[in-house]
PDB file of all heavy atoms in Angstrom:
ATOM      1  N   ALA A  10     114.029 102.308 101.720  1.00  0.00           N
ATOM      2  CA  ALA A  10     115.358 101.722 101.638  1.00  0.00           C
ATOM      3  C   ALA A  10     116.213 102.345 100.559  1.00  0.00           C
ATOM      4  O   ALA A  10     117.427 102.270 100.612  1.00  0.00           O
ATOM      5  CB  ALA A  10     115.238 100.209 101.402  1.00  0.00           C
ATOM      6  N   LEU A  11     115.573 102.944  99.558  1.00  0.00           N
ATOM      7  CA  LEU A  11     116.321 103.582  98.455  1.00  0.00           C
ATOM      8  C   LEU A  11     116.469 105.088  98.610  1.00  0.00           C
ATOM      9  O   LEU A  11     117.151 105.712  97.838  1.00  0.00           O
ATOM     10  CB  LEU A  11     115.573 103.344  97.098  1.00  0.00           C
ATOM     11  CG  LEU A  11     115.628 101.926  96.561  1.00  0.00           C
ATOM     12  CD1 LEU A  11     114.978 101.862  95.196  1.00  0.00           C
ATOM     13  CD2 LEU A  11     117.028 101.410  96.480  1.00  0.00           C
ATOM     14  N   ARG A  66     107.132 101.355 100.840  1.00  0.00           N
ATOM     15  CA  ARG A  66     108.257 101.050 101.740  1.00  0.00           C
ATOM     16  C   ARG A  66     108.574  99.561 101.727  1.00  0.00           C
ATOM     17  O   ARG A  66     109.719  99.126 101.653  1.00  0.00           O
ATOM     18  CB  ARG A  66     107.968 101.514 103.147  1.00  0.00           C
ATOM     19  CG  ARG A  66     108.138 102.954 103.400  1.00  0.00           C
ATOM     20  CD  ARG A  66     107.928 103.279 104.862  1.00  0.00           C
ATOM     21  NE  ARG A  66     108.204 104.623 105.156  1.00  0.00           N
ATOM     22  CZ  ARG A  66     107.401 105.404 105.897  1.00  0.00           C
ATOM     23  NH1 ARG A  66     106.274 104.937 106.411  1.00  0.00           N
ATOM     24  NH2 ARG A  66     107.725 106.670 106.112  1.00  0.00           N
ATOM     25  N   ALA A  67     107.535  98.710 101.910  1.00  0.00           N
ATOM     26  CA  ALA A  67     107.736  97.268 101.952  1.00  0.00           C
ATOM     27  C   ALA A  67     108.340  96.739 100.656  1.00  0.00           C
ATOM     28  O   ALA A  67     109.269  95.936 100.687  1.00  0.00           O
ATOM     29  CB  ALA A  67     106.411  96.588 102.287  1.00  0.00           C
ATOM     30  N   LEU A  68     107.786  97.238  99.529  1.00  0.00           N
ATOM     31  CA  LEU A  68     108.342  96.780  98.238  1.00  0.00           C
ATOM     32  C   LEU A  68     109.809  97.156  98.078  1.00  0.00           C
ATOM     33  O   LEU A  68     110.609  96.281  97.661  1.00  0.00           O
ATOM     34  CB  LEU A  68     107.502  97.402  97.119  1.00  0.00           C
ATOM     35  CG  LEU A  68     107.755  96.861  95.732  1.00  0.00           C
ATOM     36  CD1 LEU A  68     107.245  95.421  95.582  1.00  0.00           C
ATOM     37  CD2 LEU A  68     107.077  97.724  94.681  1.00  0.00           C
ATOM     38  N   MET A  69     110.117  98.353  98.442  1.00  0.00           N
ATOM     39  CA  MET A  69     111.483  98.792  98.314  1.00  0.00           C
ATOM     40  C   MET A  69     112.435  98.127  99.329  1.00  0.00           C
ATOM     41  O   MET A  69     113.666  98.174  99.162  1.00  0.00           O
ATOM     42  CB  MET A  69     111.594 100.323  98.433  1.00  0.00           C
ATOM     43  CG  MET A  69     111.014 101.031  97.225  1.00  0.00           C
ATOM     44  SD  MET A  69     111.327 102.799  97.392  1.00  0.00           S
ATOM     45  CE  MET A  69     110.964 103.376  95.798  1.00  0.00           C
ATOM     46  N   ALA A  70     111.903  97.510 100.377  1.00  0.00           N
ATOM     47  CA  ALA A  70     112.664  96.787 101.340  1.00  0.00           C
ATOM     48  C   ALA A  70     112.796  95.341 100.976  1.00  0.00           C
ATOM     49  O   ALA A  70     113.457  94.579 101.676  1.00  0.00           O
ATOM     50  CB  ALA A  70     112.044  96.938 102.710  1.00  0.00           C
ATOM     51  N   GLY A  71     112.204  94.930  99.853  1.00  0.00           N
ATOM     52  CA  GLY A  71     112.359  93.575  99.355  1.00  0.00           C
ATOM     53  C   GLY A  71     111.161  92.647  99.475  1.00  0.00           C
ATOM     54  O   GLY A  71     111.198  91.512  99.038  1.00  0.00           O
ATOM     55  N   GLU A  72     110.057  93.121 100.046  1.00  0.00           N
ATOM     56  CA  GLU A  72     108.858  92.318 100.094  1.00  0.00           C
ATOM     57  C   GLU A  72     108.220  92.245  98.737  1.00  0.00           C
ATOM     58  O   GLU A  72     108.185  93.245  98.015  1.00  0.00           O
ATOM     59  CB  GLU A  72     107.836  92.936 101.069  1.00  0.00           C
ATOM     60  CG  GLU A  72     108.190  92.731 102.555  1.00  0.00           C
ATOM     61  CD  GLU A  72     107.072  93.249 103.454  1.00  0.00           C
ATOM     62  OE1 GLU A  72     105.895  93.179 103.063  1.00  0.00           O
ATOM     63  OE2 GLU A  72     107.426  93.728 104.536  1.00  0.00           O
ATOM     64  N   LYS A  73     107.678  91.128  98.372  1.00  0.00           N
ATOM     65  CA  LYS A  73     106.987  90.955  97.104  1.00  0.00           C
ATOM     66  C   LYS A  73     105.545  91.520  97.296  1.00  0.00           C
ATOM     67  O   LYS A  73     104.581  90.768  97.343  1.00  0.00           O
ATOM     68  CB  LYS A  73     106.947  89.537  96.641  1.00  0.00           C
ATOM     69  CG  LYS A  73     108.373  88.992  96.406  1.00  0.00           C
ATOM     70  CD  LYS A  73     108.421  88.361  95.052  1.00  0.00           C
ATOM     71  CE  LYS A  73     109.713  87.651  94.854  1.00  0.00           C
ATOM     72  NZ  LYS A  73     110.733  88.368  94.242  1.00  0.00           N
ATOM     73  N   PRO A 102     105.471  91.474  91.204  1.00  0.00           N
ATOM     74  CA  PRO A 102     106.847  91.747  91.676  1.00  0.00           C
ATOM     75  C   PRO A 102     107.691  90.466  91.398  1.00  0.00           C
ATOM     76  O   PRO A 102     107.225  89.377  91.488  1.00  0.00           O
ATOM     77  CB  PRO A 102     106.694  91.915  93.183  1.00  0.00           C
ATOM     78  CG  PRO A 102     105.267  92.308  93.424  1.00  0.00           C
ATOM     79  CD  PRO A 102     104.511  91.638  92.296  1.00  0.00           C
ATOM     80  N   GLY A 103     108.906  90.745  90.989  1.00  0.00           N
ATOM     81  CA  GLY A 103     109.864  89.644  90.696  1.00  0.00           C
ATOM     82  C   GLY A 103     109.770  89.212  89.246  1.00  0.00           C
ATOM     83  O   GLY A 103     110.479  88.273  88.843  1.00  0.00           O
ATOM     84  N   THR A 160     118.344 103.148  88.968  1.00  0.00           N
ATOM     85  CA  THR A 160     117.210 102.974  89.877  1.00  0.00           C
ATOM     86  C   THR A 160     116.344 101.799  89.434  1.00  0.00           C
ATOM     87  O   THR A 160     115.934 100.979  90.222  1.00  0.00           O
ATOM     88  CB  THR A 160     116.365 104.258  89.987  1.00  0.00           C
ATOM     89  OG1 THR A 160     117.182 105.300  90.539  1.00  0.00           O
ATOM     90  CG2 THR A 160     115.156 104.060  90.873  1.00  0.00           C
ATOM     91  N   LYS A 161     116.119 101.737  88.131  1.00  0.00           N
ATOM     92  CA  LYS A 161     115.343 100.619  87.567  1.00  0.00           C
ATOM     93  C   LYS A 161     116.023  99.257  87.893  1.00  0.00           C
ATOM     94  O   LYS A 161     115.361  98.314  88.375  1.00  0.00           O
ATOM     95  CB  LYS A 161     115.192 100.799  86.071  1.00  0.00           C
ATOM     96  CG  LYS A 161     114.337  99.718  85.363  1.00  0.00           C
ATOM     97  CD  LYS A 161     114.094 100.114  83.901  1.00  0.00           C
ATOM     98  CE  LYS A 161     113.086  99.208  83.272  1.00  0.00           C
ATOM     99  NZ  LYS A 161     112.547  99.803  82.032  1.00  0.00           N
ATOM    100  N   ARG A 162     117.335  99.207  87.674  1.00  0.00           N
ATOM    101  CA  ARG A 162     118.059  97.987  87.972  1.00  0.00           C
ATOM    102  C   ARG A 162     117.968  97.633  89.450  1.00  0.00           C
ATOM    103  O   ARG A 162     117.726  96.499  89.804  1.00  0.00           O
ATOM    104  CB  ARG A 162     119.555  98.151  87.551  1.00  0.00           C
ATOM    105  CG  ARG A 162     120.340  96.849  87.639  1.00  0.00           C
ATOM    106  CD  ARG A 162     121.817  97.072  87.561  1.00  0.00           C
ATOM    107  NE  ARG A 162     122.342  97.762  88.691  1.00  0.00           N
ATOM    108  CZ  ARG A 162     122.529  97.219  89.913  1.00  0.00           C
ATOM    109  NH1 ARG A 162     122.222  95.975  90.129  1.00  0.00           N
ATOM    110  NH2 ARG A 162     123.010  97.938  90.926  1.00  0.00           N
ATOM    111  N   ARG A 163     118.184  98.630  90.315  1.00  0.00           N
ATOM    112  CA  ARG A 163     118.129  98.376  91.762  1.00  0.00           C
ATOM    113  C   ARG A 163     116.770  97.852  92.202  1.00  0.00           C
ATOM    114  O   ARG A 163     116.668  96.940  93.006  1.00  0.00           O
ATOM    115  CB  ARG A 163     118.432  99.663  92.552  1.00  0.00           C
ATOM    116  CG  ARG A 163     119.964 100.002  92.435  1.00  0.00           C
ATOM    117  CD  ARG A 163     120.291 101.266  93.213  1.00  0.00           C
ATOM    118  NE  ARG A 163     120.164 101.048  94.641  1.00  0.00           N
ATOM    119  CZ  ARG A 163     120.126 101.982  95.539  1.00  0.00           C
ATOM    120  NH1 ARG A 163     120.197 103.241  95.170  1.00  0.00           N
ATOM    121  NH2 ARG A 163     120.033 101.701  96.845  1.00  0.00           N
ATOM    122  N   LEU A 164     115.721  98.437  91.623  1.00  0.00           N
ATOM    123  CA  LEU A 164     114.348  97.972  91.977  1.00  0.00           C
ATOM    124  C   LEU A 164     114.112  96.528  91.532  1.00  0.00           C
ATOM    125  O   LEU A 164     113.591  95.680  92.257  1.00  0.00           O
ATOM    126  CB  LEU A 164     113.309  98.857  91.342  1.00  0.00           C
ATOM    127  CG  LEU A 164     113.160 100.256  91.982  1.00  0.00           C
ATOM    128  CD1 LEU A 164     112.351 101.179  91.088  1.00  0.00           C
ATOM    129  CD2 LEU A 164     112.596 100.177  93.346  1.00  0.00           C
ATOM    130  N   LEU A 165     114.603  96.203  90.314  1.00  0.00           N
ATOM    131  CA  LEU A 165     114.449  94.801  89.800  1.00  0.00           C
ATOM    132  C   LEU A 165     115.291  93.841  90.645  1.00  0.00           C
ATOM    133  O   LEU A 165     114.892  92.702  90.831  1.00  0.00           O
ATOM    134  CB  LEU A 165     114.804  94.778  88.335  1.00  0.00           C
ATOM    135  CG  LEU A 165     113.754  95.453  87.413  1.00  0.00           C
ATOM    136  CD1 LEU A 165     114.307  95.511  85.954  1.00  0.00           C
ATOM    137  CD2 LEU A 165     112.408  94.771  87.512  1.00  0.00           C
ATOM    138  N   VAL A 166     116.483  94.224  91.086  1.00  0.00           N
ATOM    139  CA  VAL A 166     117.280  93.421  91.941  1.00  0.00           C
ATOM    140  C   VAL A 166     116.558  93.183  93.253  1.00  0.00           C
ATOM    141  O   VAL A 166     116.455  92.038  93.797  1.00  0.00           O
ATOM    142  CB  VAL A 166     118.687  93.993  92.182  1.00  0.00           C
ATOM    143  CG1 VAL A 166     119.438  93.300  93.313  1.00  0.00           C
ATOM    144  CG2 VAL A 166     119.467  93.921  90.877  1.00  0.00           C
ATOM    145  N   ILE A 167     116.042  94.248  93.879  1.00  0.00           N
ATOM    146  CA  ILE A 167     115.331  94.166  95.116  1.00  0.00           C
ATOM    147  C   ILE A 167     114.166  93.184  95.038  1.00  0.00           C
ATOM    148  O   ILE A 167     113.893  92.366  95.896  1.00  0.00           O
ATOM    149  CB  ILE A 167     114.837  95.578  95.627  1.00  0.00           C
ATOM    150  CG1 ILE A 167     115.993  96.363  96.090  1.00  0.00           C
ATOM    151  CG2 ILE A 167     113.744  95.425  96.704  1.00  0.00           C
ATOM    152  CD1 ILE A 167     115.705  97.838  96.303  1.00  0.00           C
ATOM    153  N   GLU A 168     113.433  93.245  93.903  1.00  0.00           N
ATOM    154  CA  GLU A 168     112.260  92.378  93.672  1.00  0.00           C
ATOM    155  C   GLU A 168     112.647  90.933  93.303  1.00  0.00           C
ATOM    156  O   GLU A 168     111.786  90.074  93.238  1.00  0.00           O
ATOM    157  CB  GLU A 168     111.374  92.989  92.625  1.00  0.00           C
ATOM    158  CG  GLU A 168     110.682  94.261  93.085  1.00  0.00           C
ATOM    159  CD  GLU A 168     109.738  94.824  92.052  1.00  0.00           C
ATOM    160  OE1 GLU A 168     109.579  94.224  90.972  1.00  0.00           O
ATOM    161  OE2 GLU A 168     109.125  95.823  92.366  1.00  0.00           O
ATOM    162  N   GLY A 169     113.906  90.703  92.911  1.00  0.00           N
ATOM    163  CA  GLY A 169     114.336  89.363  92.557  1.00  0.00           C
ATOM    164  C   GLY A 169     114.188  89.092  91.072  1.00  0.00           C
ATOM    165  O   GLY A 169     114.333  87.983  90.679  1.00  0.00           O
ATOM    166  N   ALA A 170     113.866  90.109  90.234  1.00  0.00           N
ATOM    167  CA  ALA A 170     113.781  89.899  88.799  1.00  0.00           C
ATOM    168  C   ALA A 170     115.116  89.891  88.134  1.00  0.00           C
ATOM    169  O   ALA A 170     115.208  89.413  86.997  1.00  0.00           O
ATOM    170  CB  ALA A 170     112.886  91.002  88.237  1.00  0.00           C
ATOM    171  N   LEU A 171     116.137  90.422  88.762  1.00  0.00           N
ATOM    172  CA  LEU A 171     117.512  90.425  88.284  1.00  0.00           C
ATOM    173  C   LEU A 171     118.430  89.886  89.394  1.00  0.00           C
ATOM    174  O   LEU A 171     118.178  90.091  90.570  1.00  0.00           O
ATOM    175  CB  LEU A 171     117.987  91.821  87.906  1.00  0.00           C
ATOM    176  CG  LEU A 171     117.408  92.529  86.724  1.00  0.00           C
ATOM    177  CD1 LEU A 171     117.976  93.941  86.577  1.00  0.00           C
ATOM    178  CD2 LEU A 171     117.658  91.716  85.450  1.00  0.00           C
ATOM    179  N   PRO A 172     119.501  89.198  89.007  1.00  0.00           N
ATOM    180  CA  PRO A 172     120.419  88.690  90.024  1.00  0.00           C
ATOM    181  C   PRO A 172     121.172  89.824  90.743  1.00  0.00           C
ATOM    182  O   PRO A 172     121.368  90.897  90.138  1.00  0.00           O
ATOM    183  CB  PRO A 172     121.411  87.830  89.229  1.00  0.00           C
ATOM    184  CG  PRO A 172     121.316  88.330  87.833  1.00  0.00           C
ATOM    185  CD  PRO A 172     119.924  88.885  87.647  1.00  0.00           C
ATOM    186  N   ARG A 173     121.457  89.592  91.973  1.00  0.00           N
ATOM    187  CA  ARG A 173     122.215  90.605  92.704  1.00  0.00           C
ATOM    188  C   ARG A 173     123.651  90.679  92.141  1.00  0.00           C
ATOM    189  O   ARG A 173     124.237  89.658  91.788  1.00  0.00           O
ATOM    190  CB  ARG A 173     122.317  90.215  94.225  1.00  0.00           C
ATOM    191  CG  ARG A 173     120.990  90.343  94.851  1.00  0.00           C
ATOM    192  CD  ARG A 173     121.157  90.421  96.364  1.00  0.00           C
ATOM    193  NE  ARG A 173     119.822  90.565  96.998  1.00  0.00           N
ATOM    194  CZ  ARG A 173     119.269  91.773  97.172  1.00  0.00           C
ATOM    195  NH1 ARG A 173     119.870  92.867  96.849  1.00  0.00           N
ATOM    196  NH2 ARG A 173     118.092  91.888  97.749  1.00  0.00           N
ATOM    197  N   ASP A 177     125.521  94.854  95.392  1.00  0.00           N
ATOM    198  CA  ASP A 177     124.146  94.963  95.877  1.00  0.00           C
ATOM    199  C   ASP A 177     124.046  94.392  97.292  1.00  0.00           C
ATOM    200  O   ASP A 177     124.699  93.510  97.645  1.00  0.00           O
ATOM    201  CB  ASP A 177     123.185  94.125  94.943  1.00  0.00           C
ATOM    202  CG  ASP A 177     123.067  94.795  93.624  1.00  0.00           C
ATOM    203  OD1 ASP A 177     122.998  96.048  93.552  1.00  0.00           O
ATOM    204  OD2 ASP A 177     122.990  94.036  92.653  1.00  0.00           O
TER     205      ASP A 177
END
Side-chain angles (χ1 to χ4, degrees):
L11 290 183
R66 281 185 174 133
L68 189 70
M69 289 185 167
E72 287 185 31
K73 296 231 189 265
T160 298
K161 184 172 189 163
R162 187 194 69 75
R163 287 180 70 195
L164 289 167
L165 290 172
V166 167
I167 287 168
E168 292 183 358
L171 290 178
R173 293 198 177 274
D177 293 320

